[in-house]
Amino acid sequence: CIRDRSSSVQPRISRERIRVPLDQISISDQSSWRKLHLPRRDDLVMQFLRGGYLKNITRIPILRNFNGKPRFGTDGRRLLIDGKSTTAALLQCMEVYSASQDGQVFPERCYDFTESLVSVFTEGLECLVGELEDDSEDVIFAYCVGIHDAIA
């Protein structure tokens, strides 16, 4: 049973936050515990672009480590344990921000690029690191279902 196995082998989540450039975090199918849910990502994009970044996030993304080393996907980017929708939304926002800095104008939209949002683009995304003793997808899945059920 996955639940029995995960209860004894949960990731140790660091309390120290690290900043990682957005373009170094994977949102591929290998990353995190479930596929990217596009409607959730799109909702977050609109919230963030309206000044809501950090207002509705209950957890920050957790990067995946195994045996003290970061885990990377086939895309060469750091894998997540949790936080794919948030990371994907921030990547979309960064594209809009970059376009606005390049002189593209979006007259139909009024975006609020808050200081905290811009700092993600310029300094990186604050993440926690989850150290896994068992690097199996079952353990990651069980852990994430548990933390998502706890806040639902």
Side-chain angles (χ1 to χ4, degrees):
C1 174
I2 293 172
R3 184 166 287 162
D4 291 342
R5 186 171 177 220
S6 70
S7 64
S8 63
V9 189
Q10 290 192 9
R12 289 186 319 274
I13 308 299
S14 69
R15 293 193 178 154
E16 183 179 333
R17 297 176 183 203
I18 63 170
R19 282 198 178 264
V20 178
L22 273 176
D23 62 358
Q24 292 181 15
I25 302 172
S26 179
I27 57 168
S28 72
D29 285 345
Q30 283 182 292
S31 196
S32 197
W33 62 291
R34 59 183 169 184
K35 292 193 181 297
L36 181 61
H37 186 243
L38 295 178
R40 173 69 176 146
R41 183 215 47 203
D42 294 344
D43 287 346
L44 289 172
V45 167
M46 292 316 301
Q47 287 177 33
F48 296 167
L49 291 176
R50 292 181 184 141
Y53 178 63
L54 295 181
K55 293 182 181 170
N56 298 320
I57 298 176
T58 55
R59 288 179 316 280
I60 66 171
I62 304 170
L63 296 168
R64 185 171 171 177
N65 266 25
F66 180 62
N67 287 332
K69 296 180 181 169
R71 296 279 286 138
F72 294 91
T74 54
D75 60 4
R77 297 177 179 162
R78 300 268 319 250
L79 293 176
L80 291 162
I81 290 176
D82 192 35
K84 186 188 285 191
S85 293
T86 298
T87 303
L90 288 167
L91 283 163
Q92 289 281 128
C93 292
M94 188 167 71
E95 288 180 20
V96 173
Y97 177 75
S98 294
S100 72
Q101 298 303 296
D102 290 340
Q104 293 182 33
V105 180
F106 304 97
E108 71 283 359
R109 303 254 189 235
C110 181
Y111 297 127
D112 186 1
F113 295 112
T114 61
E115 192 175 318
S116 59
L117 185 59
V118 172
S119 76
V120 171
F121 309 150
T122 59
E123 300 169 29
L125 178 61
E126 278 193 357
C127 299
L128 297 173
V129 176
E131 178 67 36
L132 297 163
E133 293 177 17
D134 178 347
D135 197 35
S136 75
E137 300 300 320
D138 289 346
V139 169
I140 292 168
F141 183 82
Y143 170 75
C144 289
V145 166
I147 62 173
H148 282 259
D149 285 349
I151 63 165

